């Protein structure tokens, strides 16, 4: 009985420490969002599979806190979702990406389109297309330079409203990718009704394909074949090894993304490595 009580007290303390940590992180994130300090966007290149030309980039948010150090998106994005900070965080990222694209244009760099990840909350927030339009206009960006990535689960609940929202974004020339394809419900039929442009095959399939697993080969064959029939472009995500790249040669994949081809890097580094300067 004695032990039981001790165990209980121990458990309570653990819980409190967890809560304290969550609360500290939440407060810190709130502050960082207000000041903008420590929030950064990294850019990972996507290349054409055939020919190897740079095609576009994916924007990935980074958060560095003076006390906590670098916090992984896998930790602070779910936190932001829970405590209602995802919409302001998402807006901050979009704003930073637009400002960066405008800066590259001013510096005489030839920018490539940048895709921004949208959380469900942000996607369904008031008038996203209107917000995007205002943002592009404010930064003097031509349509087509900004795109979005959305996961399947975001779109599945309310397909009709989703279609309207996506069409609103398409009207500004935004590319629209289904992210992590294959990990959600994967009802293939819904693809033909949604005005999306791109399918990103999740890293887990690419990994197993590289290991020669027959099941994933069948899935990759089916998904890429179908996507092509539907006129979508196909991205293989998370390509890490030569073996994976070679395995992908057999399927109609348009773009490759992954550590083998390029890590997510700061804007400055991305420009240095990937964006040509126009000759004056
Ligand atoms: P995601 O959208 O699927 O992004 C791809 C993740 O895989 C990124 O992790 C990227 O750094 C990582 N990655 C890229 N290539 C490779 C590879 O070859 N191997 C491996 N092992 N990983 C690779 P990151 O940056 O930690 O982001 C994790 C997730 O956090 C993202 O997954 C996305 O869901 C979310 N996220 C990141 N930035 C944002 C954002 O600005 N807004 C929203 N809503 N979500 C974001
Ligand atoms: Ca993504
Ligand atoms: Ca992904
Ligand atoms: Ca993911």
């Amino acid at each position: 009985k004695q032990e039981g009580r001790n165990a209980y007290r121990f458990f309570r303390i653990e819980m409190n420490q967890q809560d304290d940590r969550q609360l500290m992180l939440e407060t810190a994130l709130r502050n960082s969002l207000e000041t903008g300090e420590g929030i950064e966007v990294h850019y990972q290149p996507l290349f054409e599979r055939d020919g190897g030309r740079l095609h576009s980039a994916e924007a990935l948010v980074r958060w560095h806190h003076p006390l906590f150090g670098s916090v992984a998106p896998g930790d602070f994005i779910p936190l932001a979702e829970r405590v209602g900070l995802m919409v302001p965080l998402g807006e901050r990222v979009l704003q930073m990406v637009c400002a960066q694209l405008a800066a590259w244009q001013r510096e005489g760099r030839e920018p490539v389109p940048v895709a921004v990840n949208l959380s469900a909350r942000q996607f369904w927030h008031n008038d996203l297309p209107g917000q995007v339009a205002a943002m592009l206009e404010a930064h003097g960006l031509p349509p087509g330079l900004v795109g979005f990535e959305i996961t399947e689960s975001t779109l599945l609940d309310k397909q009709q409203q989703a279609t309207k929202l996506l069409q609103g974004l398409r009207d500004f020339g935004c590319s629209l990718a289904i992210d992590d394809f294959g990990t959600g419900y994967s009802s293939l039929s819904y693809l033909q009704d949604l005005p999306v442009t791109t399918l990103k095959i999740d890293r887990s399939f690419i990994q197993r394909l590289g290991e020669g697993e027959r099941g994933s080969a069948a899935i990759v064959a089916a998904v890429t074949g179908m996507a092509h029939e539907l006129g979508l472009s196909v991205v293989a995500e998370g390509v890490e090894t030569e073996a994976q790249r070679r395995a992908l040669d057999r399927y109609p994949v348009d773009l490759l993304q992954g550590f083998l081809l390029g890590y997510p890097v700061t804007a400055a580094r991305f420009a240095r490595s990937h964006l040509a300067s126009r000759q004056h």
Side-chain angles (χ1 to χ4, degrees), residues 8 22 33 35 38 40 43-44 52 56 87 121 128 135 139 144 152 158 162 172 177 187 201-202 210 226 237 252 265:
Y8 171 76
Q22 286 295 302
L33 272 172
T35 60
E40 225 188 303
Y43 297 81
Q44 186 178 29
S56 54
V87 168
R121 247 172 245 282
L128 181 64
M135 197 88 83
H139 289 90
E152 299 162 77
K158 302 177 252 177
F172 299 114
S187 145
I201 303 179
D202 191 67
M226 175 206 60
E237 284 198 290
V265 291

Side-chain angles (χ1 to χ4, degrees), residues 107-127:
E107 294 163 10
R109 303 259 186 193
E110 206 82 68
V112 287
V114 175
V116 173
N117 289 284
L118 283 182
S119 78
R121 247 172 245 282
Q122 206 189 349
F123 181 73
W124 293 110
H125 193 66
N126 294 334
D127 190 27

Side-chain angles (χ1 to χ4, degrees), residues 53 77 104 121 133 139 188 196 207 216 246 274:
R53 261 181 35 150
I77 289 194
W104 279 332
R121 247 172 245 282
H139 289 90
L188 297 182
V196 295
Q207 209 163 17
S216 17
R246 259 195 320 269
H274 300 295

Side-chain angles (χ1 to χ4, degrees), residues 150-194:
I150 310 158
T151 58
E152 299 162 77
S153 52
T154 301
L155 303 173
L156 273 182
D157 324 338
K158 302 177 252 177
Q159 251 198 67
Q160 276 189 345
Q161 285 118 298
T163 302
K164 255 182 72 181
L165 268 171
L166 292 170
Q167 191 56 55
L169 294 171
R170 287 290 301 132
D171 291 343
F172 299 114
C174 301
S175 68
L176 300 173
I178 308 273
D179 207 353
D180 304 346
F181 188 80
T183 60
Y185 300 92
S186 300
S187 145
L188 297 182
S189 59
Y190 80 106
L191 279 180
Q192 81 180 3
D193 301 320
L194 292 174

